[in-house]
Amino acid sequence: EVQLVESGGGLVQAGGSLRLSCAASGFTFDDYAIGWFRQVPGKEREGVSCMRSSDGSTYYADSVKGRFTISSDDAKNTVYLQMNSLKPEDTAVYYCAAREGPSSEDVGRYDSWGRGAQVTVFS
């Protein structure tokens, strides 16, 4: 059974940093892409970043390019999202998700999801 557990969310002042972690289990890490998505109430879930460690491919939404970095520790089956220079508009519930195959920023292509981690950025 695929399981994804996010951690590292919290409350931070604008300009600050947080690192989210996504601990994955139940599947062969190399065969899967991991994505980070976020959602605010009343809006659709949007792709933030994704990667597939086996081919090194990464994607970043324009809104986070240059501020967020996705990485992985394959030995720990964990993917990280380092978020720097945070802005109030980054406030959302952040989810990690997994799909077998290439990485994609398309929410609909992922079939396994974590429960989410709240990130709140205040000015």
Side-chain angles (χ1 to χ4, degrees):
E1 178 187 3
V2 174
Q3 289 193 329
L4 302 166
V5 180
E6 302 95 338
S7 60
L11 183 68
V12 64
Q13 190 170 19
S17 299
L18 283 174
R19 189 178 78 160
L20 299 178
S21 299
C22 174
S25 62
F27 60 94
T28 303
F29 203 61
D30 282 352
D31 295 337
Y32 277 68
I34 303 292
W36 285 100
F37 299 82
R38 65 187 181 186
Q39 189 170 24
V40 298
K43 292 190 176 181
E44 292 186 352
R45 195 168 296 187
E46 64 172 356
V48 175
S49 183
C50 57
M51 70 173 296
R52 188 179 185 204
S53 62
S54 60
D55 62 19
S57 60
T58 58
Y59 159 85
Y60 294 96
D62 287 343
S63 58
V64 306
K65 279 181 182 176
R67 301 188 297 122
F68 290 11
T69 303
I70 193 169
S71 63
S72 68
D73 183 336
D74 293 357
K76 295 182 178 180
N77 278 13
T78 299
V79 174
Y80 304 98
L81 186 68
Q82 178 66 43
M83 305 184 293
N84 298 330
S85 302
L86 282 161
K87 304 175 182 180
E89 51 264 44
D90 294 318
T91 295
V93 177
Y94 284 71
Y95 299 88
C96 70
R99 69 179 300 264
E100 189 170 7
S103 61
S104 172
E105 68 270 26
D106 185 346
V107 171
R109 293 186 179 272
Y110 289 80
D111 46 24
S112 299
W113 292 85
R115 293 187 175 183
Q118 176 69 47
V119 171
T120 303
V121 185
F122 62 95
S123 56

